[in-house]
Amino acid sequence: MKEYVGKRVKRKEDYRFVTGTGQYVADIKLADMAEATFVRSTHAHAKIESVDVSEALAMKGVYAVLTGEDLEGIVKPLTEAESHCYLPPIIVEEINPISKSNLEYVLAKDRVVYVGQPIAVVVAENRYLAEDAASLIKIQYASLPVVVDPYEALKEGAPLIQDHLDSNLQAHFQLHVGDCGEALLQADHVIREVLKSPRVASNPLETRGVVAYYDNRSDQLHIWTSTQLPYEVRHYVGKSLGMREENIRVTAPDVGGGFGPKGGVYPEEVVIGYLAKLLMKPVKWIEDRLEHMSASRHSRDQIHDVEVFFKNDGTILGIKDEFLLDVGAINYFAFTCAYNSVAHFRGPYKVPNFYVNCKVVLTNKTPNVPYRGAGRPEVVFAMDRIIDIVAKELNMDPVLVMHKNMIKAEEMPYDQGMYYKDGGKLIYDSGDYPAALKMALELSGYEEIRKKQSEWREQGKYIGIGISSNVEGTGVGPFEGASISINQSGQVLVHVGSTPQGQSHETVFAQICADELGVDFEDVKVKAGDTSLLQYGAGTYASRSAVNAGSAIHGAALKVKSKLFALAQMMGLEEQELELNDGCVCSISQPENKLTLKELAAAAAPGPRCKMPDGLEPGLQATYYFVPPTVTYSSSTHAAVVEVDIETSQVFIQDYVIVHDSGKVINPMIVEGQIQGGLAQGIGTALYEEVVHNEQGQVLTGTYMDYLLPTSMEIPTAKQGEQEFLSTRNPLGIKGVGESGTISPPAALANAVVDALSHLQITITQLPISPERLFRLIQDAKKSI
């Protein structure tokens, strides 16, 4: 029997992508379709005194112009997502959280609280007319005080972002592990440092977009949207519009990248759905890149004020972290990023005493949501910079400090002494972090680089190497489902609730199913991204799909297999000797005794000739929902080698190594691609990307002239080393791989730059390490020498 799991099977999706025959939201064309454009706030904080739409509405070809007043009492505002707000009682008891409800009107009424917030929508025969009409709308603003600094936002008397709240402290919690007071007493050294991660934008190739069509006869609303979470869109659009979820179908066709900010529900998805119903005609809206930079949700934006307590031999006794998360004008995702940061701070290290005081702060910026890594790059940057700073203080090699504090393989499973956000104990299930570090050092030539650094420096070449390791909770619940059916031709169809945005669902899930049912890979068709396919679905985010949807396929396949074997016995094959192989159920000892899946499918069809045993439903189909007990923990170690041009302050990456443990690898080629893609985004955060606001909340980096993205010229091909420690928390042993490539580059590159410039004794505590920022550090260091 052919086995597909573990093989470099070529992607099924690629043909349509490389031939330009994929279908994205912008490609959808329906008869009599109108197009919409949104009028957005140009103020970060202002009272809306009046909106005059008369000229726009009078324009020929314009079908509708709506403002917030028009939706009053008809469309409910969006609030924080219930599915992301739930905390298990045991977590509530542990961290005693405070979280205040906040909201956003789908079209602002009375007041705007960030630049880019939608105020009005124009629908016309086409986008050109809609844009022209939108330019005729006159909005009278009265400016209000703006606050973009989270520390200022917390001060008494600061302008309130959500006016029904008593302060801009939207959420708060504390977490204690061990006793940091005792760690302080035992410590030989205490260092305090403030480490900042920038606000960034996700920049998928496909911007957001929505098409909606309403069928009056059946009261059915069909929404096509570039989303990661079609089931969540279905739920919240139904809630906002007062419609039954069963009457809403949400389709995510081909989606050109998501990375987190395409999770959740946006005002545009609600408004376009409402307009299709109001106008009784299909309506399309496609976000342009300028809108994306200001109105699509941002991410990161954390400040960690850290104290570390350690001994002369490098042993870290404890860490205290006072940190702020700036969530902008509304926090849709409650504690998601904040608690992720806390749960992942210590990574592969043993830090017995750990205290965190987290404040989630509202400001006049675009809402802040999870983005690839979701709170992890920020704390890994903090943790591995701390390791480097401790090593510097003790005049030790950072690798020795890492080894000193790293969890050993023989200590697995390792209990970090707290709970994960899903309520499971934070216990690493498997892995060997020191071995990964050793492999990364060997692949990067660490010892050789150390030997040559002095010689290079004498030649005017400033080359450094930096290391970072991370552990990532992957495969988070609450569930994911799969339905498998075998048609009358013996071909297999798989429906899954998770939705791809480039993650290769059609390939890897076909590999799993083909192995489970003993069929040819080409005979398996996987469909996803449509709420009509399966009753329940969660979505694709947080490195969870392979773990959960893959396990659901395994479970559904076992149920189908059970039906096949029961049916085969009814048709004369012996129970003890059955196996699935080459598209047949056959006898192990007598392979010539077999029934093809086509024959079995015919025998399973309902009707007078059905041979399915009593008690089993006719047809060869089964659905299974996998509920993980808690997350599983993938891990990786990164080594970055850089050269710094001391004159231009540019950082050039000479070499990059990633050693990754993703448990059971379904398709090595796809895993490598995921890690390489993640690395590109991690390098962006480390060296280039930052959404900058001025004091009035205006986005200063609204175009690619100002917001610098790395290109293929700046991204090296990483050398990759693979570990395979199977997860103990799902039947296939899979660990998630979608985000870890993004998590460690900021720390590894920062450590590498510090190492390259060790003669200047610079300290990097803020990202990105742009030439301008590095230039200032170098000049300051030269002055102090």
Side-chain angles (χ1 to χ4, degrees):
M1 184 178 91
K2 274 189 178 177
E3 290 186 358
Y4 295 97
V5 170
K7 301 291 192 307
R8 293 176 175 270
V9 178
K10 288 186 178 178
R11 298 201 331 156
K12 290 192 172 200
E13 299 90 335
D14 281 344
Y15 178 80
R16 68 175 186 274
F17 292 152
V18 300
T19 57
T21 51
Q23 187 186 51
Y24 300 85
V25 173
D27 296 320
I28 294 170
K29 295 181 175 64
L30 302 175
D32 194 31
M33 187 159 68
E35 293 193 75
T37 191
F38 285 84
V39 178
R40 300 180 182 279
S41 173
T42 55
H43 289 249
H45 196 193
K47 183 181 178 185
I48 300 173
E49 295 193 320
S50 65
V51 183
D52 181 356
V53 302
S54 55
E55 287 187 54
L57 203 52
M59 192 171 154
K60 188 179 178 183
V62 171
Y63 298 132
V65 181
L66 300 182
T67 66
E69 281 188 9
D70 298 313
L71 304 183
E72 183 75 38
I74 300 173
V75 179
K76 293 178 182 172
L78 294 177
T79 61
E80 64 280 359
E82 298 155 10
S83 55
H84 298 283
C85 289
Y86 173 76
L87 287 176
I90 200 159
I91 299 286
V92 173
E93 185 178 340
E94 183 174 70
I95 67 174
N96 190 26
I98 296 170
S99 180
K100 301 169 186 172
S101 183
N102 54 161
L103 57 83
E104 179 177 13
Y105 291 98
V106 294
L107 294 177
K109 63 166 199 172
D110 303 332
R111 198 167 65 108
V112 289
V113 286
Y114 65 91
V115 171
Q117 187 174 4
I119 296 174
V121 62
V122 179
V123 188
E125 286 178 7
N126 56 56
R127 181 67 176 257
Y128 304 103
L129 288 173
E131 296 273 6
D132 287 348
S135 68
L136 300 176
I137 294 175
K138 297 180 178 64
I139 302 174
Q140 191 69 39
Y141 297 98
S143 297
L144 294 170
V146 175
V147 61
V148 293
D149 182 323
Y151 289 106
E152 295 295 322
L154 288 176
K155 289 181 178 176
E156 191 173 345
L160 287 177
I161 314 304
Q162 296 272 329
D163 54 10
H164 66 285
L165 302 182
D166 58 0
S167 78
N168 294 317
L169 181 62
Q170 188 271 328
H172 173 239
F173 67 89
Q174 293 181 321
L175 180 136
H176 297 264
V177 176
D179 183 350
C180 276
E182 190 61 31
L184 173 62
L185 292 175
Q186 295 178 11
D188 298 316
H189 305 265
V190 179
I191 291 179
R192 181 177 176 183
E193 199 64 78
V194 178
L195 299 120
K196 299 180 181 179
S197 289
R199 173 171 280 245
V200 296
S202 66
N203 290 292
L205 284 175
E206 183 196 16
T207 56
R208 292 185 297 120
V210 185
V211 169
Y213 167 74
Y214 179 70
D215 179 16
N216 185 52
R217 186 187 65 77
S218 60
D219 190 29
Q220 288 284 322
L221 178 63
H222 190 173
I223 296 174
W224 292 261
T225 176
S226 180
T227 184
Q228 297 170 233
L229 306 175
Y231 289 89
E232 194 148 304
V233 172
R234 181 179 72 174
H235 175 71
Y236 285 101
V237 169
K239 189 175 173 183
S240 289
L241 299 185
M243 291 184 67
R244 289 176 62 95
E245 282 188 47
E246 293 81 2
N247 287 0
I248 300 172
R249 176 184 175 189
V250 177
T251 301
D254 290 322
V255 175
F259 311 122
K262 283 188 184 172
V265 182
Y266 278 85
E268 292 88 350
E269 286 161 325
V270 177
V271 172
I272 298 300
Y274 173 72
L275 283 165
K277 191 174 178 183
L278 177 74
L279 299 174
M280 301 290 284
K281 63 168 60 208
V283 179
K284 174 192 277 188
W285 165 74
I286 302 298
E287 181 186 61
D288 66 32
R289 193 59 72 174
L290 287 169
E291 286 180 295
H292 179 79
M293 293 302 289
S294 62
S296 278
R297 295 162 191 164
H298 299 154
S299 194
R300 313 282 192 243
D301 213 349
Q302 294 189 6
I303 305 171
H304 293 262
D305 188 344
V306 181
E307 279 185 282
V308 55
F309 315 111
F310 56 101
K311 297 184 77 67
N312 286 328
D313 67 355
T315 301
I316 295 176
L317 300 172
I319 288 175
K320 284 180 70 175
D321 181 22
E322 302 267 351
F323 91 91
L324 298 185
L325 170 56
D326 180 346
V327 290
I330 180 170
N331 182 14
Y332 284 104
F333 284 83
F335 293 106
T336 298
C337 281
Y339 199 85
N340 264 358
S341 291
V342 175
H344 293 86
F345 195 112
R346 292 173 289 171
Y349 304 111
K350 291 179 282 190
V351 181
N353 302 294
F354 182 48
Y355 166 76
V356 176
N357 183 20
C358 169
K359 295 177 180 175
V360 179
V361 187
L362 298 167
T363 62
N364 290 118
K365 297 177 186 169
T366 304
N368 184 338
V369 296
Y371 166 48
R372 200 171 190 176
R376 301 173 180 97
E378 300 93 315
V379 290
V380 171
F381 172 65
M383 183 69 218
D384 279 326
R385 285 298 299 130
I386 287 171
I387 291 280
D388 209 65
I389 289 167
V390 167
K392 182 179 173 185
E393 176 73 12
L394 299 174
N395 198 26
M396 292 173 67
D397 190 307
V399 170
L400 295 177
V401 180
M402 290 176 185
H403 268 300
K404 173 69 74 177
N405 294 284
M406 200 166 259
I407 297 160
K408 306 295 186 293
E410 58 270 23
E411 295 175 293
M412 289 290 182
Y414 187 83
D415 187 345
Q416 281 283 34
M418 59 179 285
Y419 292 93
Y420 203 76
K421 198 163 75 76
D422 59 7
K425 291 203 75 175
L426 204 163
I427 299 174
Y428 299 155
D429 48 345
S430 64
D432 188 340
Y433 311 141
L437 176 58
K438 182 182 177 188
M439 193 187 303
L441 297 177
E442 290 172 353
L443 286 171
S444 63
Y446 188 84
E447 293 298 331
E448 194 68 15
I449 290 170
R450 281 277 176 261
K451 288 176 186 171
K452 290 184 176 177
Q453 274 182 307
S454 298
E455 180 185 334
W456 286 332
R457 196 161 292 146
E458 288 173 5
Q459 298 168 1
K461 295 174 68 175
Y462 300 96
I463 294 175
I465 183 166
I467 312 292
S468 173
S469 298
N470 69 77
V471 179
E472 182 194 359
T474 65
V476 68
F479 71 91
E480 201 54 83
S483 173
I484 295 177
S485 60
I486 300 174
N487 67 19
Q488 298 295 296
S489 299
Q491 297 163 321
V492 181
L493 181 62
V494 180
H495 289 166
V496 291
S498 63
T499 301
Q501 310 103 49
Q503 291 90 346
S504 315
H505 282 31
E506 293 167 45
T507 304
V508 295
F509 293 155
Q511 289 180 256
I512 292 172
C513 187
D515 278 5
E516 297 289 346
L517 294 181
V519 298
D520 192 282
F521 171 72
E522 296 299 336
D523 282 338
V524 181
K525 177 68 178 174
V526 176
K527 290 190 174 184
D530 194 325
T531 57
S532 69
L533 298 175
L534 204 63
Q535 178 63 29
Y536 304 100
T540 295
Y541 57 93
S543 305
R544 65 184 302 280
S545 286
V547 174
N548 292 313
S551 297
I553 289 167
H554 169 80
L558 290 182
K559 292 174 76 172
V560 171
K561 184 177 177 181
S562 175
K563 291 184 86 171
L564 285 167
F565 283 6
L567 185 58
Q569 289 168 63
M570 291 293 289
M571 296 173 70
L573 296 184
E574 295 295 328
E575 179 183 6
Q576 297 84 351
E577 294 192 334
L578 299 183
E579 68 172 358
L580 280 163
N581 190 10
D582 199 21
C584 299
V585 176
C586 57
S587 164
I588 295 173
S589 58
Q590 296 176 295
E592 65 277 12
N593 286 343
K594 61 184 178 184
L595 291 163
T596 66
L597 295 190
K598 183 177 178 180
E599 292 170 324
L600 289 161
R609 288 183 290 176
C610 180
K611 294 183 175 58
M612 191 64 80
D614 291 342
L616 289 178
E617 290 285 335
L620 295 177
Q621 76 286 323
T623 300
Y624 184 81
Y625 289 96
F626 176 71
V627 179
T630 183
V631 294
T632 183
Y633 292 93
S634 66
S635 60
S636 64
T637 296
H638 295 223
V641 182
V642 305
E643 180 173 0
V644 179
D645 185 322
I646 202 84
E647 299 300 326
T648 65
S649 301
Q650 282 188 287
V651 177
F652 298 96
I653 301 173
Q654 302 292 329
D655 195 11
Y656 204 97
V657 168
I658 304 174
V659 177
H660 195 271
D661 171 22
S662 44
K664 182 65 179 177
V665 174
I666 303 170
N667 186 322
M669 182 173 62
I670 290 170
V671 166
E672 290 165 10
Q674 281 278 6
I675 292 171
Q676 179 69 33
L679 168 64
Q681 289 179 304
I683 290 173
T685 300
L687 299 180
Y688 304 104
E689 298 180 46
E690 184 173 19
V691 176
V692 178
H693 293 81
N694 68 9
E695 290 182 353
Q696 293 307 308
Q698 295 294 328
V699 181
L700 302 181
T701 48
T703 74
Y704 289 156
M705 289 295 288
D706 313 295
Y707 188 91
L708 192 57
L709 284 172
T711 69
S712 60
M713 298 295 288
E714 287 80 39
I715 306 299
T717 299
K719 295 176 189 169
Q720 295 191 29
E722 194 68 35
Q723 293 183 307
E724 189 174 270
F725 293 93
L726 301 188
S727 170
T728 60
R729 293 170 185 162
N730 63 77
L732 302 175
I734 301 170
K735 298 176 179 178
V737 72
E739 298 172 276
S740 69
T742 315
I743 295 171
S744 270
L749 287 162
N751 286 345
V753 171
V754 169
D755 186 50
L757 302 177
S758 57
H759 63 296
L760 294 175
Q761 299 289 306
I762 69 165
T763 298
I764 291 176
T765 57
Q766 186 173 358
L767 299 172
I769 314 166
S770 62
E772 183 268 342
R773 192 163 279 146
L774 189 55
F775 177 81
R776 291 179 189 279
L777 288 172
I778 291 171
Q779 298 311 308
D780 290 346
K782 285 180 176 177
K783 288 175 189 171
S784 63
I785 291 176

